[in-house]
Amino acid sequence: MLQALIVDDEPSHVHGLVKHIPWTKLGYTTPLTAESGEEAIPILEAGRIDVLITDVSMPGMNGIELAAEAKLIHPDIQILVISGYNEFEFAQEAIEVGAKGYVLKPLKLSEIERKLTAFRQTIESITQINEQTVKLKEIVSDSQGMLKDTFIFDILEEEPMEEEALRSWCQLLNLPNRPTEGIQLITAVLDNYSDSAAGNAQSKLMLGSALLQSASVALQDFGNLLVSKVRPDQVVVILVNPPIDKRSSIDKQMKFVQEYMHNSNGVSVTVGISRPGFDWRELNQIFREVNFTIADARQSGSGQLVYVGSTEQKAFEDFRMHENMLPQLLMLAESDDPVLLVDKVEQSFKDLERRGHTLAYIQSLSISLLGELSRKVWQDTEEINFLNKRAWHRLLDCKTTDMMKDIVIDYIRSAVMLVRKERTLQQHHLISRIVSYMEDQLSNSMTVKQLADRFHLSAGHLSVLFKKETGLTISDFVKNLRMKKAKEMLQDPSIKIYEVAERVGFQTPAYFTYQFKKNEGCTPQEYRDRFYV
């Protein structure tokens, strides 16, 4: 049976719903009740609540606020909002906080029953999905092979695995948290895979499987190992605490794999053997070092067996720094936080110097950075181009890394000032156009999404820009516009109050009166009377 909670500050309404709805027939137990949002929160926190029925207008916490809190406590809760105001604004707010139903007073019991039935069906569907997910987890837990494959894919990801997740995996697969004798990674890659077996999909699948099986057999005496096909043409083997007396024979065993694949399948295989690692979270770095070394070796021929030593590790780190540093700096530049960007530039120059890069290498990287910032981030304006050329000429005359760093940072700070000045000016003009349009369209209801579409912005970006420029949200700004215009028109006795409501964008005079009194402390008629007493 499902549990509902009814919240309304009028006890008679609560009693009527409890008494006249056939709860048991609809699949619900007797509902819990509360007379305020503040009273309802502890009930929501105390146990499972499937459905919340709340009045929108209550003292203190209103129904919209309560619905938002309920969603935080029970994400799957179904919410029905009741209102005495037939206004789109309330319905829209209810939907935005996650309500799935909206009904008006006076209530029709048949409509409430239909909503409760629909809620029950939705909850049953969610429950079924959750149950199926649990069953799937049980099936996966029974498959060690699938678990090992998943672990290898996760541990080789670009981002290191979280410590807690790593401990869970090690416990699940009976692996040591800290391999005392180290971890070694071997990868075997089919050469010219795209041309293998004349492109026949089944033959390619068989080649990948043969490579997997041959690597597993060749290294089966090396103790605890994990083997997986990470790509159709690539197999990875992770040796966990490999016996010291067997490590020297790894290359011999992998040469056996190469010979087997050549003799039995007519294909060549390139093999990469990593340096030792002593932490699981090193493996993503080690894996990339091996792949980089294999790619480099393949330029001079197929079917090789290569080791990753200190020289190969250094070559990969230099490559990665060049490939990763520029995108990282560009992302920081696009985030419009010059402090973070300058800090990252300073750190990058320290890293370059610490790694012993030549002055010419650092100079080349600095010029590349200036060019990328100018083109991709700051749009090659005339002022930016001038700064870029001046910095470029100064870099050519530099004799130290510190001088280059200072020139790059000076360029960044100057460019950011120029870009922000131009952007602020553009935003000011844009918001001015939007405000003028809103004033012209005051009698029409318009959502933020429609307004954003008209001016070719995302709704989120428009909201941020508008608040930054005016100090108000779009909703509050429109409300102020409406009130200001309404007060001007109310001073003209020839304009009837219902006409004022219509011209400033309210759908009904009643809601106009409600909002006017809420904002101004008096009704429109009382406000008008002040001028003609």
Side-chain angles (χ1 to χ4, degrees):
M1 302 286 280
L2 301 181
Q3 180 66 66
L5 170 63
I6 304 172
V7 186
D8 197 318
D9 61 324
E10 297 186 34
S12 61
H13 292 170
V14 175
H15 179 71
L17 288 175
V18 173
K19 181 178 179 180
H20 297 295
I21 296 292
W23 295 97
T24 303
K25 181 181 177 181
L26 295 173
Y28 292 79
T29 189
T30 302
L32 301 175
T33 63
E35 295 183 8
S36 69
E38 290 80 2
E39 185 183 333
I41 294 298
I43 299 174
L44 287 163
E45 293 175 337
R48 179 179 61 83
I49 301 295
D50 300 295
V51 172
L52 169 66
I53 301 174
T54 178
D55 187 18
V56 73
S57 180
M58 297 184 292
M61 178 183 288
N62 64 35
I64 302 299
E65 294 166 335
L66 175 61
E69 289 294 324
K71 270 292 182 181
L72 293 176
I73 299 169
H74 300 293
D76 292 332
I77 194 170
Q78 305 296 299
I79 300 172
L80 178 63
V81 173
I82 298 172
S83 174
Y85 301 101
N86 184 11
E87 296 299 333
F88 174 73
E89 285 86 348
F90 284 132
Q92 187 178 34
E93 285 186 281
I95 292 168
E96 286 176 354
V97 298
K100 299 299 182 184
Y102 185 89
V103 294
L104 299 172
K105 296 177 182 178
L107 299 179
K108 295 179 180 178
L109 294 182
S110 59
E111 185 177 3
I112 300 291
E113 290 178 24
R114 283 198 302 272
K115 296 290 185 184
L116 289 170
T117 299
F119 287 166
R120 189 193 71 240
Q121 292 169 348
T122 298
I123 292 168
E124 288 173 351
S125 297
I126 292 172
T127 302
Q128 185 178 3
I129 292 170
N130 291 338
E131 290 173 351
Q132 290 174 352
T133 302
V134 170
K135 289 180 181 178
L136 180 60
K137 288 180 180 178
E138 292 173 353
I139 293 171
V140 170
S141 297
D142 291 336
S143 174
Q144 283 292 305
M146 186 183 297
L147 283 173
K148 288 181 178 180
D149 284 344
T150 303
F151 173 68
I152 291 175
F153 276 100
D154 287 354
I155 204 69
L156 298 182
E157 281 290 326
E158 186 81 34
E159 290 296 322
M161 187 180 290
E162 294 290 337
E163 186 71 34
E164 186 176 346
L166 179 58
R167 282 198 301 269
S168 298
W169 272 112
C170 289
Q171 183 178 7
L172 187 62
L173 297 176
N174 196 27
L175 297 169
N177 288 324
R178 302 285 179 186
T180 55
E181 301 299 326
I183 313 168
Q184 198 148 16
L185 183 145
I186 300 102
T187 184
V189 185
L190 290 165
D191 297 319
N192 303 315
Y193 179 71
S194 59
D195 299 327
S196 301
N200 183 280
Q202 184 175 358
S203 298
K204 286 185 175 183
L205 181 63
M206 294 301 295
L207 282 177
S209 298
L211 182 61
L212 176 70
Q213 293 303 319
S214 60
S216 300
V217 170
L219 298 171
Q220 62 184 337
D221 295 332
F222 280 73
N224 199 352
L225 72 157
L226 304 169
V227 187
S228 180
K229 187 164 60 172
V230 295
R231 288 199 326 241
D233 64 333
Q234 183 176 21
V235 168
V236 165
V237 182
I238 299 173
L239 304 180
V240 186
N241 290 330
I244 296 175
D245 59 335
K246 289 184 175 290
R247 293 181 187 179
S248 60
S249 63
I250 291 176
D251 58 348
K252 178 182 176 182
Q253 296 303 110
M254 293 312 296
K255 285 177 182 176
F256 160 77
V257 173
Q258 289 176 314
E259 292 172 2
Y260 168 79
M261 292 300 295
H262 181 266
N263 295 334
S264 300
N265 298 282
V267 294
S268 69
V269 174
T270 296
V271 173
I273 301 173
S274 79
R275 60 181 173 87
F278 293 91
D279 188 319
W280 285 106
R281 289 181 294 181
E282 281 186 88
L283 280 178
N284 60 351
Q285 163 83 1
I286 289 173
F287 179 57
R288 282 156 182 77
E289 290 172 5
V290 177
N291 282 341
F292 176 79
T293 305
I294 286 177
D296 188 54
R298 279 171 138 182
Q299 295 182 30
S300 58
S302 302
Q304 298 188 63
L305 190 150
V306 295
Y307 277 90
V308 176
S310 58
T311 301
E312 290 78 15
Q313 184 181 357
K314 173 70 163 53
F316 171 71
E317 288 176 354
D318 290 346
F319 166 79
R320 190 179 64 168
M321 171 163 281
H322 188 275
E323 290 296 305
N324 292 344
M325 192 179 92
L326 289 183
Q328 288 175 359
L329 293 175
L330 291 175
M331 285 178 63
L332 284 175
E334 289 171 347
S335 71
D336 199 27
D337 190 335
V339 175
L340 286 178
L341 177 58
V342 167
D343 287 346
K344 185 63 177 178
V345 167
E346 288 183 334
Q347 184 60 51
S348 298
F349 272 92
K350 288 179 183 177
D351 290 343
L352 288 166
E353 196 167 30
R354 179 173 54 83
R355 294 177 185 276
H357 287 290
T358 65
L359 200 65
Y361 178 87
I362 298 174
Q363 188 179 64
S364 173
L365 201 59
S366 299
I367 292 173
S368 295
L369 173 60
L370 263 59
E372 292 291 291
L373 287 171
S374 175
R375 287 191 301 275
K376 295 185 178 178
V377 181
W378 296 322
Q379 310 303 323
D380 269 345
T381 64
E382 185 176 344
E383 294 86 351
I384 292 294
N385 275 329
F386 172 77
L387 289 177
N388 188 38
K389 289 178 181 177
R390 187 181 67 177
W392 185 75
H393 285 298
R394 291 174 63 196
L395 283 170
L396 293 178
D397 294 331
C398 284
K399 304 300 181 186
T400 67
T401 301
D402 281 342
M403 289 175 66
M404 292 185 193
K405 178 191 69 177
D406 291 342
I407 290 169
V408 171
I409 289 174
D410 179 61
Y411 166 77
I412 289 171
R413 286 173 173 157
S414 300
V416 166
M417 287 180 61
L418 278 174
V419 170
R420 282 186 170 179
K421 182 178 179 182
E422 178 63 26
R423 188 181 300 154
T424 299
L425 187 61
Q426 291 176 355
Q427 289 175 1
H428 177 74
H429 289 322
L430 174 62
I431 298 303
S432 296
R433 288 168 51 214
I434 291 173
V435 168
S436 296
Y437 179 77
M438 290 162 66
E439 290 173 340
D440 291 342
Q441 299 295 318
L442 198 58
S443 61
N444 300 322
S445 295
M446 177 170 290
T447 66
V448 175
K449 177 69 167 58
Q450 290 170 328
L451 194 61
D453 288 344
R454 180 173 184 83
F455 288 90
H456 311 293
L457 299 168
S458 70
H461 187 46
L462 172 59
S463 297
V464 171
L465 288 182
F466 198 92
K467 179 72 178 289
K468 183 178 179 181
E469 180 71 22
T470 66
L472 296 171
T473 65
I474 293 175
S475 176
D476 287 342
F477 192 88
V478 170
K479 186 195 303 180
N480 290 349
L481 274 180
R482 286 175 169 172
M483 291 299 110
K484 180 182 177 182
K485 184 67 174 177
K487 286 189 288 186
E488 291 174 0
M489 296 174 68
L490 286 169
Q491 295 175 37
D492 184 348
S494 67
I495 306 175
K496 294 180 173 56
I497 288 178
Y498 76 85
E499 292 177 329
V500 175
E502 182 179 338
R503 292 185 193 180
V504 296
F506 288 93
Q507 294 179 358
T508 65
Y511 188 60
F512 167 58
T513 299
Y514 168 78
Q515 284 291 353
F516 193 92
K517 185 172 183 179
K518 182 178 177 182
N519 282 273
E520 304 301 327
C522 61
T523 67
Q525 186 61 55
E526 289 169 344
Y527 181 86
R528 170 170 278 175
D529 290 344
R530 292 178 184 176
F531 295 91
Y532 302 101
V533 291

